[in-house]
mmCIF file of all heavy atoms in Angstrom:
data_model
loop_
_atom_site.group_PDB
_atom_site.id
_atom_site.type_symbol
_atom_site.label_atom_id
_atom_site.label_comp_id
_atom_site.label_asym_id
_atom_site.label_seq_id
_atom_site.Cartn_x
_atom_site.Cartn_y
_atom_site.Cartn_z
ATOM 1 N N SER A 31 3.905 9.387 1.867
ATOM 2 C CA SER A 31 2.863 9.702 2.827
ATOM 3 C C SER A 31 2.706 11.209 2.894
ATOM 4 O O SER A 31 3.696 11.931 2.975
ATOM 5 C CB SER A 31 3.226 9.154 4.208
ATOM 6 O OG SER A 31 2.223 9.477 5.144
ATOM 7 N N GLY A 32 1.479 11.679 2.825
ATOM 8 C CA GLY A 32 1.257 13.110 2.938
ATOM 9 C C GLY A 32 -0.188 13.471 2.725
ATOM 10 O O GLY A 32 -1.026 12.632 2.408
ATOM 11 N N ARG A 33 -0.457 14.738 2.911
ATOM 12 C CA ARG A 33 -1.803 15.255 2.705
ATOM 13 C C ARG A 33 -1.876 15.898 1.322
ATOM 14 O O ARG A 33 -0.975 16.624 0.931
ATOM 15 C CB ARG A 33 -2.151 16.272 3.780
ATOM 16 C CG ARG A 33 -2.390 15.619 5.114
ATOM 17 C CD ARG A 33 -2.715 16.655 6.186
ATOM 18 N NE ARG A 33 -3.020 16.025 7.457
ATOM 19 C CZ ARG A 33 -2.130 15.601 8.320
ATOM 20 N NH1 ARG A 33 -0.852 15.728 8.051
ATOM 21 N NH2 ARG A 33 -2.495 15.033 9.449
ATOM 22 N N ARG A 34 -2.985 15.646 0.635
ATOM 23 C CA ARG A 34 -3.194 16.235 -0.684
ATOM 24 C C ARG A 34 -4.393 17.163 -0.597
ATOM 25 O O ARG A 34 -5.441 16.802 -0.072
ATOM 26 C CB ARG A 34 -3.449 15.151 -1.734
ATOM 27 C CG ARG A 34 -3.637 15.719 -3.125
ATOM 28 C CD ARG A 34 -3.570 14.638 -4.186
ATOM 29 N NE ARG A 34 -4.584 13.631 -4.024
ATOM 30 C CZ ARG A 34 -5.644 13.497 -4.828
ATOM 31 N NH1 ARG A 34 -5.819 14.307 -5.833
ATOM 32 N NH2 ARG A 34 -6.504 12.521 -4.620
ATOM 33 N N TYR A 41 -8.832 18.215 2.497
ATOM 34 C CA TYR A 41 -7.561 17.518 2.387
ATOM 35 C C TYR A 41 -7.792 16.022 2.551
ATOM 36 O O TYR A 41 -8.758 15.602 3.180
ATOM 37 C CB TYR A 41 -6.567 17.991 3.457
ATOM 38 C CG TYR A 41 -6.047 19.371 3.196
ATOM 39 C CD1 TYR A 41 -6.750 20.489 3.628
ATOM 40 C CD2 TYR A 41 -4.864 19.559 2.494
ATOM 41 C CE1 TYR A 41 -6.280 21.770 3.373
ATOM 42 C CE2 TYR A 41 -4.380 20.833 2.237
ATOM 43 C CZ TYR A 41 -5.100 21.933 2.685
ATOM 44 O OH TYR A 41 -4.634 23.194 2.428
ATOM 45 N N GLN A 42 -6.900 15.259 1.982
ATOM 46 C CA GLN A 42 -6.963 13.800 2.101
ATOM 47 C C GLN A 42 -5.567 13.288 2.444
ATOM 48 O O GLN A 42 -4.591 13.670 1.806
ATOM 49 C CB GLN A 42 -7.423 13.218 0.765
ATOM 50 C CG GLN A 42 -7.394 11.715 0.688
ATOM 51 C CD GLN A 42 -8.025 11.232 -0.594
ATOM 52 O OE1 GLN A 42 -9.234 11.218 -0.712
ATOM 53 N NE2 GLN A 42 -7.205 10.844 -1.556
ATOM 54 N N LEU A 43 -5.481 12.435 3.451
ATOM 55 C CA LEU A 43 -4.220 11.791 3.803
ATOM 56 C C LEU A 43 -4.037 10.600 2.876
ATOM 57 O O LEU A 43 -4.964 9.803 2.692
ATOM 58 C CB LEU A 43 -4.246 11.316 5.254
ATOM 59 C CG LEU A 43 -3.034 10.526 5.726
ATOM 60 C CD1 LEU A 43 -1.784 11.399 5.713
ATOM 61 C CD2 LEU A 43 -3.269 9.969 7.115
ATOM 62 N N GLU A 44 -2.878 10.490 2.254
ATOM 63 C CA GLU A 44 -2.598 9.379 1.340
ATOM 64 C C GLU A 44 -1.300 8.688 1.751
ATOM 65 O O GLU A 44 -0.330 9.349 2.109
ATOM 66 C CB GLU A 44 -2.446 9.888 -0.093
ATOM 67 C CG GLU A 44 -3.690 10.564 -0.616
ATOM 68 C CD GLU A 44 -3.526 11.130 -2.000
ATOM 69 O OE1 GLU A 44 -2.376 11.291 -2.476
ATOM 70 O OE2 GLU A 44 -4.559 11.425 -2.632
ATOM 71 N N ARG A 45 -1.325 7.353 1.684
ATOM 72 C CA ARG A 45 -0.122 6.566 1.966
ATOM 73 C C ARG A 45 0.041 5.533 0.864
ATOM 74 O O ARG A 45 -0.930 4.897 0.457
ATOM 75 C CB ARG A 45 -0.243 5.840 3.300
ATOM 76 C CG ARG A 45 -0.325 6.742 4.498
ATOM 77 C CD ARG A 45 -0.325 5.893 5.761
ATOM 78 N NE ARG A 45 -0.748 6.630 6.913
ATOM 79 C CZ ARG A 45 0.049 7.383 7.661
ATOM 80 N NH1 ARG A 45 1.308 7.506 7.370
ATOM 81 N NH2 ARG A 45 -0.430 8.002 8.714
ATOM 82 N N VAL A 64 -3.569 3.582 0.550
ATOM 83 C CA VAL A 64 -4.596 3.816 1.554
ATOM 84 C C VAL A 64 -4.838 5.320 1.627
ATOM 85 O O VAL A 64 -3.889 6.103 1.595
ATOM 86 C CB VAL A 64 -4.150 3.302 2.944
ATOM 87 C CG1 VAL A 64 -5.200 3.577 3.990
ATOM 88 C CG2 VAL A 64 -3.814 1.825 2.886
ATOM 89 N N THR A 65 -6.107 5.719 1.708
ATOM 90 C CA THR A 65 -6.435 7.129 1.879
ATOM 91 C C THR A 65 -7.332 7.293 3.099
ATOM 92 O O THR A 65 -8.024 6.367 3.506
ATOM 93 C CB THR A 65 -7.159 7.707 0.638
ATOM 94 O OG1 THR A 65 -8.384 7.017 0.443
ATOM 95 C CG2 THR A 65 -6.296 7.590 -0.597
ATOM 96 N N ASN A 66 -7.295 8.497 3.652
ATOM 97 C CA ASN A 66 -8.150 8.832 4.790
ATOM 98 C C ASN A 66 -8.679 10.234 4.542
ATOM 99 O O ASN A 66 -7.918 11.196 4.500
ATOM 100 C CB ASN A 66 -7.364 8.774 6.090
ATOM 101 C CG ASN A 66 -8.241 9.029 7.301
ATOM 102 O OD1 ASN A 66 -9.248 9.722 7.236
ATOM 103 N ND2 ASN A 66 -7.842 8.472 8.421
ATOM 104 N N ARG A 67 -9.994 10.327 4.352
ATOM 105 C CA ARG A 67 -10.632 11.623 4.141
ATOM 106 C C ARG A 67 -11.769 11.759 5.137
ATOM 107 O O ARG A 67 -12.672 10.931 5.172
ATOM 108 C CB ARG A 67 -11.159 11.720 2.714
ATOM 109 C CG ARG A 67 -11.808 13.039 2.415
ATOM 110 C CD ARG A 67 -12.216 13.126 0.977
ATOM 111 N NE ARG A 67 -12.863 14.393 0.724
ATOM 112 C CZ ARG A 67 -13.554 14.657 -0.357
ATOM 113 N NH1 ARG A 67 -13.674 13.739 -1.293
ATOM 114 N NH2 ARG A 67 -14.113 15.826 -0.510
ATOM 115 N N VAL A 93 -3.668 4.944 12.257
ATOM 116 C CA VAL A 93 -2.456 5.756 12.348
ATOM 117 C C VAL A 93 -2.871 7.179 12.672
ATOM 118 O O VAL A 93 -3.830 7.699 12.112
ATOM 119 C CB VAL A 93 -1.682 5.732 11.007
ATOM 120 C CG1 VAL A 93 -0.513 6.696 11.040
ATOM 121 C CG2 VAL A 93 -1.210 4.331 10.704
ATOM 122 N N GLU A 95 -2.920 10.833 12.219
ATOM 123 C CA GLU A 95 -2.600 11.689 11.077
ATOM 124 C C GLU A 95 -1.541 12.726 11.420
ATOM 125 O O GLU A 95 -0.850 13.220 10.543
ATOM 126 C CB GLU A 95 -3.858 12.385 10.563
ATOM 127 C CG GLU A 95 -4.824 11.445 9.887
ATOM 128 C CD GLU A 95 -5.986 12.190 9.257
ATOM 129 O OE1 GLU A 95 -5.793 13.338 8.820
ATOM 130 O OE2 GLU A 95 -7.070 11.618 9.209
ATOM 131 N N ASP A 98 2.284 12.546 10.204
ATOM 132 C CA ASP A 98 2.778 12.983 8.916
ATOM 133 C C ASP A 98 3.258 14.426 8.997
ATOM 134 O O ASP A 98 2.548 15.297 9.451
ATOM 135 C CB ASP A 98 1.683 12.881 7.846
ATOM 136 C CG ASP A 98 1.465 11.461 7.419
ATOM 137 O OD1 ASP A 98 2.458 10.811 7.086
ATOM 138 O OD2 ASP A 98 0.307 11.011 7.445
#
Side-chain angles (χ1 to χ4, degrees):
S31 179
R33 288 179 177 82
R34 181 167 60 108
Y41 288 86
Q42 174 173 283
L43 175 65
E44 299 177 344
R45 295 185 195 275
V64 179
T65 62
N66 184 332
R67 181 176 179 194
V93 173
E95 290 186 31
D98 284 309

